[in-house]
Amino acid sequence: MRYREVFQQSIEQPEAFWRDKASWIDWFQSPETILSQREDGHYDWFPDGKLNTADLALDAHIRAGRGDQLALIHDSPVTGTKQQFTYRELTERVARFAGALRDQGVGPGDRVIIYMPMVPETVIGMLACARLGAIHSVVFGGFASRELAVRIDDARPTLVLTASCGIEVDRVIEYKPLVDAALEEATHKPDTCVVLARPQARADLKDGRDLDWQTLEQAGNPVDPVPVRATDPLYILYTSGTTGKPKGVVRDNGGHAVAMRYSMSLVYNAEPGDVFWAASDVGWVVGHSYIVYAPLITGCTTVLYEGKPVKTPDAGAFWRVCADYGVNILFTAPTAFRAVRKEDPEADELAKYDIRSLKRILLAGERLDPPTYDWLTEKTELPILDHWWQTETGWAICCNPIGIETLPTKPGSATVPSPGFDVDILDVSGEPVGPGEQGQVAVRLPLPPGCLTTVWGDPGRFRRTYLDPAPGYYHSGDGGFIDENGYVFIMGRTDDVINVAGHRLSTGEMEEVVAGHPAVAECCVIGVRDEMRGQVPVGLVLLKDGATIGADELEDELVEMVREQIGAVACFRRAEVVDRLPKTRSGKILRRVLRDIADGEDYATPSTIDDPAILGEIENRLRP
Ligand code: COA
Ligand code: AMP
């Protein structure tokens, strides 16, 4: 069947379509019901099915005779270490650690926060939770302790998993003091904190609360996977929204497993035994889906890389890893290759390695800019494939469906909707628009398996954010258009979310921090174009009457505050003092026009502006 027919079937007969895909995985109890509607109007996939995600990712492969195949390769240029685990070895470690967690009182439905660097134990911790039916929530290591505290209070975990440190190129980032500060700040106090000791930093263990990982794991008795309902949550992953409070995206077990397995075939054309490398971080959705769950559920060998595309030690790092392990499929964010290209424009490093194993490169996390696409195509002579998705969906909403048929690519387009995603472009009143017209990108309900089922602890926010903006649709928050051939073009967020080096961040959250400075009367944070990171935040601040602080001193203090309260990953490095901010007559800040000014775009003076003269003043400041 061709893509169009497959897509049509997925939309017209979703139950038959996904019943078939559900048969690709092992269930403890196969689902009879494929799709049902909840009382709140949202949908559940496979509600009467029972399974265990860790069983699919580990034990199922031993049963299928793949026990001696490599499951996980850890490559860490920052510590100079490499480690490999077969499916059998990884299963043993996970089963034992799950037993250890159970001894600490972790059971089905309990939450476990994981604040860890890119080490095998992080994957072991995630899978151990899945094995017990517990719900993990991984927090990216670049977030500050306040962010961790907010997530601890929202998820209310039984236990926290952490390590003594992470390593950023050559800097040791001690995690334990950050975790201690978060646990101090949080209202909810987990009983236990398990700490992995790494040789690069010593962690002080607090009596009665903190336990040493290795000692605990060694004492654990291996446990078998616990059957859970398909609709039981597997994990919570917090993502930035428009307010300071991150949203806990909830992923179920059954729909997720089916979607992970199917997407590996559809989007990546990966097969069991392939070496799959998602060069991202387990703290992001890309890491959850394509470092851990999808490759392992599919029986691939997954690469866990603790390093950067450049500086660890050079711009040949990615090619070296591909050559060392015979990587077949590489997935990363365009920003990683922008960094490589900047340091090695002629790709001299590439010539040093044999990357003939590599079949294709997939890119997502932000817009794939044509110069990066062209450079990669020219230098590698490989298929370079864009795909568009979000934390909320867990897998590609749009892709080149190479598992069915390879479609011609169009620069700037993430190609076509994946089967199951009925994508439409809506105008401001929620009505579909015609080909080529820009609007809000929305997906007609029901969403396919694998997408978020709710916002943790706040079903109202789930409804308000995603379902209420256009009844009958999932609201993506991205703007874009569909051309006359059905190709989808994503033009960027229409809300206050920005994308910095493939990392999703909330300008609203940064504004809350900046507004907390005693000299700041009012502020606005916008995302402006950046050659390497795609976007970076810039703050515009108005001083309180009588404030005497100098602009440079204020900038330093604001930068430090955002680093302290959100984290280095926010990349907040610039704040400009302005006399006024452009607003509508009703007092709303005109962010769009500010962005256009900062990006050097032509802009039209909005008719709603209260005082057009302000734009000239801002232009002088933002375009020196
Ligand atoms: N723990 C602690 N700090 C972290 C961190 C982590 N896991 N990840 C990033 N940081 C810090 C960085 O050290 C840096 O700190 P600094 O301001 O003190 O220098 C800051 O956060 C900004 O990080 P980043 O924007 O990543 O800058 P970088 O210079 O370290 O690297 C790239 C730039 C492009 C090489 C890097 O962002 C990259 O490889 N991106 C790939 C994209 C990606 O993985 N996206 C995930 C979704 S697919
Ligand atoms: P995250 O939830 O962190 O994965 O970020 C999701 C957001 O990143 C989307 O809403 C888009 O704005 C952006 N994004 C991801 N992939 C792409 C892509 N291929 N093209 C354009 N934007 C993308």
Side-chain angles (χ1 to χ4, degrees):
M1 266 205 285
R2 314 275 295 185
Y3 159 74
R4 271 285 144 215
E5 290 165 63
V6 177
F7 179 79
Q8 250 1 84
Q9 194 215 351
S10 77
I11 301 305
E12 284 162 14
Q13 298 165 279
E15 294 183 60
F17 184 85
W18 290 107
R19 184 185 294 280
D20 171 59
K21 306 304 171 266
S23 72
W24 294 15
I25 62 165
D26 279 1
W27 297 82
F28 289 140
Q29 182 182 302
S30 291
E32 290 295 325
T33 307
I34 300 302
L35 180 65
S36 67
Q37 199 161 17
R38 298 197 301 239
E39 273 178 16
D40 64 5
H42 201 56
Y43 297 85
D44 281 329
W45 287 99
F46 317 116
D48 56 4
K50 289 207 172 130
L51 76 170
N52 182 285
T53 300
D55 176 71
L56 298 175
L58 300 166
D59 311 62
H61 301 301
I62 300 178
R63 292 198 291 275
R66 295 190 163 274
D68 296 326
Q69 184 200 301
L70 281 185
L72 178 69
I73 296 172
H74 181 234
D75 185 288
S76 170
V78 295
T79 57
T81 58
K82 296 172 181 181
Q83 253 184 303
Q84 304 193 334
F85 302 80
T86 62
Y87 271 101
R88 199 180 311 286
E89 288 163 345
L90 192 61
T91 306
E92 280 167 13
R93 290 277 313 259
V94 169
R96 190 172 288 284
F97 192 59
L101 291 183
R102 195 180 53 182
D103 292 345
Q104 294 305 315
V106 177
D110 289 340
R111 275 81 59 211
V112 173
I113 291 263
I114 304 182
Y115 186 71
M116 306 253 316
M118 291 282 285
V119 291
E121 283 76 6
T122 309
V123 179
I124 290 169
M126 291 166 77
L127 290 168
C129 291
R131 198 171 189 84
L132 294 172
I135 304 167
H136 61 69
S137 187
V138 182
V139 179
F140 177 61
F143 282 122
S145 53
R146 195 191 76 147
E147 291 285 326
L148 183 57
V150 168
R151 286 154 174 80
I152 290 172
D153 275 338
D154 196 70
R156 307 182 65 76
T158 307
L159 183 142
V160 174
L161 298 179
T162 191
S164 58
C165 66
I167 297 148
E168 279 292 292
V169 188
D170 51 5
R171 266 184 310 145
V172 173
I173 314 272
E174 290 201 29
Y175 278 14
K176 189 60 187 355
L178 294 170
V179 173
D180 286 342
L183 290 172
E184 186 67 30
E185 190 176 337
T187 319
H188 173 79
K189 306 286 179 200
D191 296 334
T192 315
C193 179
V194 181
V195 187
L196 176 74
R198 303 190 79 191
Q200 294 77 14
R202 225 186 72 84
D204 291 326
L205 300 188
K206 189 174 160 200
D207 270 350
R209 188 195 69 193
D210 299 345
L211 298 171
D212 173 65
W213 186 301
Q214 263 183 330
T215 315
L216 188 74
E217 185 177 328
Q218 273 156 14
N221 291 312
V223 292
D224 286 334
V226 174
V228 298
R229 282 183 307 230
T231 51
D232 285 340
L234 169 67
Y235 68 76
I236 308 168
L237 179 57
Y238 288 90
T239 189
S240 299
T242 47
T243 66
K245 190 168 184 277
K247 289 183 290 232
V249 163
V250 177
R251 193 91 60 214
D252 65 5
N253 274 275
H256 173 252
V258 172
M260 289 299 98
R261 180 65 193 87
Y262 176 60
S263 69
M264 283 297 272
S265 164
L266 173 82
V267 185
Y268 307 94
N269 204 7
E271 288 172 14
D274 276 345
V275 180
F276 191 93
W277 179 25
S280 175
D281 191 288
V282 280
W284 306 111
V285 71
V286 175
H288 280 65
S289 292
Y290 296 106
I291 296 175
V292 183
Y293 288 111
L296 293 180
I297 289 173
T298 306
C300 295
T301 300
T302 188
V303 179
L304 179 75
Y305 174 70
E306 188 180 23
K308 303 262 174 183
V310 291
K311 300 195 178 78
T312 58
D314 54 37
F318 273 22
W319 313 128
R320 194 268 302 161
V321 172
C322 288
D324 278 0
Y325 307 113
V327 171
N328 302 118
I329 299 155
L330 168 62
F331 171 8
T332 192
T335 190
F337 280 116
R338 285 199 297 272
V340 172
R341 178 174 165 229
K342 189 159 172 250
E343 296 217 349
D344 183 22
E346 297 310 317
D348 295 331
E349 290 294 337
L350 174 57
K352 296 182 190 163
Y353 300 96
D354 178 357
I355 61 152
R356 275 176 298 176
S357 60
L358 196 57
K359 294 187 272 196
R360 62 196 70 98
I361 300 177
L362 275 291
L363 295 158
E366 53 169 336
R367 180 172 167 266
L368 173 54
D369 52 300
T372 304
Y373 172 84
D374 291 340
W375 184 82
L376 269 174
T377 307
E378 185 201 320
K379 300 298 179 200
T380 65
E381 297 179 0
L382 288 168
I384 307 300
L385 302 162
D386 188 7
H387 55 319
W388 168 60
W389 52 294
Q390 311 178 307
T391 304
E392 288 84 346
T393 64
W395 62 289
I397 310 167
C398 289
C399 68
N400 195 325
I402 57 171
I404 305 171
E405 172 189 8
T406 301
L407 299 177
T409 50
K410 289 194 190 186
S413 169
T415 321
V416 292
S418 302
F421 286 100
D422 194 359
V423 178
D424 246 329
I425 307 293
L426 307 181
D427 65 16
V428 277
S429 58
E431 292 300 316
V433 301
E437 267 186 74
Q438 280 207 35
Q440 287 286 344
V441 189
V443 184
R444 202 185 283 271
L445 299 175
L447 290 167
C451 300
L452 85 167
T453 53
T454 188
V455 169
W456 180 257
D458 199 349
R461 190 169 181 197
F462 170 63
R463 220 181 31 251
R464 283 193 307 280
T465 311
Y466 301 108
L467 306 182
D468 287 352
Y473 286 92
Y474 163 79
H475 173 81
S476 75
D478 278 306
F481 66 93
I482 303 181
D483 76 5
E484 64 288 354
N485 304 119
Y487 278 62
V488 181
F489 291 75
I490 300 301
M491 307 304 288
R493 301 288 306 193
T494 54
D495 53 16
D496 297 336
V497 169
I498 59 170
N499 200 311
V500 181
H503 306 145
R504 176 166 158 183
L505 298 160
S506 158
T507 52
E509 190 173 3
M510 292 184 220
E511 281 173 11
E512 283 180 24
V513 175
V514 172
H517 190 285
V520 172
E522 197 179 356
C523 71
C524 159
V525 176
I526 52 169
V528 307
R529 205 175 288 146
D530 179 79
E531 207 183 318
M532 210 241 295
R533 292 191 168 83
Q535 279 184 303
V536 288
V538 170
L540 298 171
V541 296
L542 253 72
L543 293 184
K544 282 185 182 154
D545 286 346
T548 52
I549 188 165
D552 288 348
E553 196 186 339
L554 178 67
E555 184 175 65
D556 290 349
E557 289 182 13
L558 293 175
V559 166
E560 198 43 44
M561 281 170 75
V562 175
R563 246 184 122 79
E564 278 286 307
Q565 296 186 39
I566 297 180
V569 70
C571 258
F572 182 88
R573 292 174 184 166
R574 185 174 166 203
E576 296 283 344
V577 176
V578 293
D579 296 329
R580 299 177 295 170
L581 285 168
K583 291 188 180 168
T584 61
R585 281 184 278 275
S586 59
K588 222 170 148 251
I589 297 175
L590 289 157
R591 288 157 198 281
R592 181 69 214 248
V593 84
L594 284 173
R595 253 194 340 250
D596 286 346
I597 293 175
D599 289 346
E601 300 277 344
D602 292 339
Y603 62 90
T605 303
S607 56
T608 48
I609 195 166
D610 62 347
D611 178 1
I614 301 176
L615 297 183
E617 290 168 21
I618 300 273
E619 198 174 321
N620 288 340
R621 186 51 61 87
L622 287 178
R623 295 182 190 170

